[in-house]
Amino acid sequence: MDKIIVKGGNQLNGKIKIGGAKNAVLPIMTACILAPGQYKLTNVPNLKDTRTMSELLRRIGADVTYSNHSLIINTENCNTPEAPYDLVKTMRASFYVLGPLLSRFGISKVSLPGGCAWGPRPVDYHLKAFKELGASVELDSGYIIAKGKLIGCTINFENVSVGATGNVLMGAVTAKGITKINNAAREPEITLLCEFLNLMGAKIKGLNSNTLIIEGVDKLSPVKEFEIVPDRIEAGTFLIATAICGGEIELIDANPDHLQTVLNLLVKAGSEINIKDGNIILKSNGKIKHVDMETEPFPGFPTDLQAQWMALMTLADGTSLIVDNVYADRFTHIAELTRLGAIISLEKNKATITGIKKLKGAEIMSTDIRASASLIIAALVANGESSISRIYHIDRGYEKIEEKFRSLGANIWRKSDRN
Ligand code: EPZ
């Protein structure tokens, strides 16, 4: 299996174009099932997860082609309302097809997603909401079979859930009557999904808020062309990497409004941030102030940058606390950061990081998409060489990450087992 090799110590300088948001394009790809016809999505990143979702749409009967960061999806001939285990087990976001399949076909057979590297990933909020909307929901040999015509109602999510909000939205847009979603996710990716659905003819109000009102419609139509927003998590990853390595980078296309909490915390930790023509510029001398951080649903600090922030705090000028309020068990990166010399203790969902002077390169192992990014960040600043294995995790969510870092001056390359 391929590895990423890093020789630490270089500063990061230059401009980097941020790609389209993985967590925006995945639900939007499933929304194309709702109305038969041809769709073009642009600024689509070339990732393992977008290729997996394309394969899932093909299994459902769609025609999907990808070239030059654009997807052409034709769902005219979709005829198989099923998401098979072999695909769902590799990517939890496959579960997003439940709502669209139920909307279009009145039936949906979707494999229950397994857990992931850091623990169980339940879908009970999704299932409870579809039952409340009038669907029959049964579990049969690991598959969820949902059937029936949906009738609008009020859905109260006990916790904010990005996936459940997206899935229920795609069921509610053609339900009979009005659906109100309380405690809805308001991540930029969900707002973009609402914009896409409204362009299809849906009637969704309350965008950018935690309360969405959906008036069901009888007919939706395809969207000829739609651009995916930049990936705020990829942007945050490069900002945090530059903060710890030192240097000055300009992110092309990143949207500062999607990262306000992260930018504020980076300034508190010692970086200088400016916005020029809508682009984010970060300057750092590599000296890190210790700053406590807690993850929260948007607009709070995103859990998908928690591991990267932890890498930053390993070299801070004191002790810092990180609390993950979204995933209590998302800490598999601690063991690997420790191999580089980091001093981190964990108590339930609270990690305490004692800042040290230097990390030392070592052999380390990726465990999930964002943990991998955290290890690359730590390796970029560590003394000596690090070798990161199981990088198939990082290829799920970052396009050519080592090439992008190399273009900023990092000494990083991919070593294939084949050569
Ligand atoms: C989305 O996952 C993202 N994935 C995740 O990014 C992200 O970490 C997460 O939202 C939180 O922002 C995609 O968008 C494809 P949730 P999702 O439902 O929708 C609990 C990445 O690295 N919950 O918002 O699965 C859940 O266990 C990935 O790009 C239930 O209990 O997350 C968690 O504690 C990783 N029951 C919390 O809610 C449910 O039915 C938030 O999960 C659903 C969720």
Side-chain angles (χ1 to χ4, degrees), residues 43 45 110 179 192 268 314 343:
N43 197 31
V110 183
T179 300
L192 196 78
K268 278 179 79 176
T314 61
I343 301 176

Side-chain angles (χ1 to χ4, degrees), residues 11-43:
Q11 286 211 341
L12 300 178
N13 291 290
K15 294 185 179 185
I16 196 89
K17 181 179 178 340
I18 297 302
K22 166 177 85 78
N23 293 346
V25 68
L26 293 175
I28 286 172
M29 288 172 76
T30 67
C32 298
I33 295 168
L34 285 164
Q38 178 156 308
Y39 303 72
K40 181 177 181 182
L41 305 179
T42 60
N43 197 31

Side-chain angles (χ1 to χ4, degrees), residues 22-24 26-27 49 91-96 116 118 120-127 157-165 185 187 189 231-233 296-298 302-304 325-330 368-370 396-398:
K22 166 177 85 78
N23 293 346
L26 293 175
D49 275 12
M91 183 184 67
R92 170 188 167 76
S94 311
F95 206 69
Y96 267 129
C116 72
W118 69 73
R121 300 281 297 277
V123 288
D124 53 325
Y125 299 167
H126 302 238
L127 304 182
F157 282 130
E158 59 184 285
N159 289 309
V160 170
S161 162
V162 173
T165 301
E187 271 64 6
E189 296 78 25
D231 193 320
R232 62 195 169 101
I233 305 303
E296 298 291 347
F298 192 83
T303 175
D304 289 351
N325 294 308
V326 179
Y327 290 111
D329 43 13
R330 190 179 194 167
D368 66 74
I369 303 176
R370 309 307 173 179
R396 287 190 49 197
Y398 290 90

Side-chain angles (χ1 to χ4, degrees), residues 96-254:
Y96 267 129
V97 297
L98 194 150
L101 290 175
L102 195 50
S103 271
R104 179 157 167 189
F105 298 105
I107 185 168
S108 175
K109 181 179 177 186
V110 183
S111 167
L112 263 183
C116 72
W118 69 73
R121 300 281 297 277
V123 288
D124 53 325
Y125 299 167
H126 302 238
L127 304 182
K128 179 170 178 283
F130 281 112
K131 283 179 188 161
E132 288 166 354
L133 286 163
S136 74
V137 178
E138 308 292 331
L139 174 64
D140 178 16
S141 315
Y143 280 79
I144 292 296
I145 320 277
K147 287 182 198 159
K149 176 77 184 123
L150 302 182
I151 314 286
C153 69
T154 296
I155 303 288
N156 298 303
F157 282 130
E158 59 184 285
N159 289 309
V160 170
S161 162
V162 173
T165 301
N167 223 338
V168 169
L169 266 171
M170 293 190 277
V173 288
T174 58
K176 194 164 171 40
I178 306 277
T179 300
K180 182 178 183 186
I181 304 177
N182 293 320
N183 211 15
R186 48 177 292 209
E187 271 64 6
E189 296 78 25
I190 290 297
T191 299
L192 196 78
L193 175 62
C194 290
E195 288 168 2
F196 184 79
L197 291 168
N198 280 344
L199 284 173
M200 290 181 71
K203 290 182 179 168
I204 305 169
K205 290 193 171 63
L207 274 62
N208 269 314
S209 84
N210 290 118
T211 304
L212 294 171
I213 312 271
I214 306 103
E215 182 187 340
V217 296
D218 295 332
K219 185 171 168 13
L220 295 170
S221 312
V223 176
K224 279 198 178 12
E225 186 159 332
F226 189 80
E227 184 175 329
I228 301 300
V229 292
D231 193 320
R232 62 195 169 101
I233 305 303
E234 183 190 23
T237 301
F238 281 103
L239 292 172
I240 292 171
T242 309
I244 199 168
C245 293
E248 181 171 348
I249 64 164
E250 179 173 349
L251 300 188
I252 311 297
D253 284 352

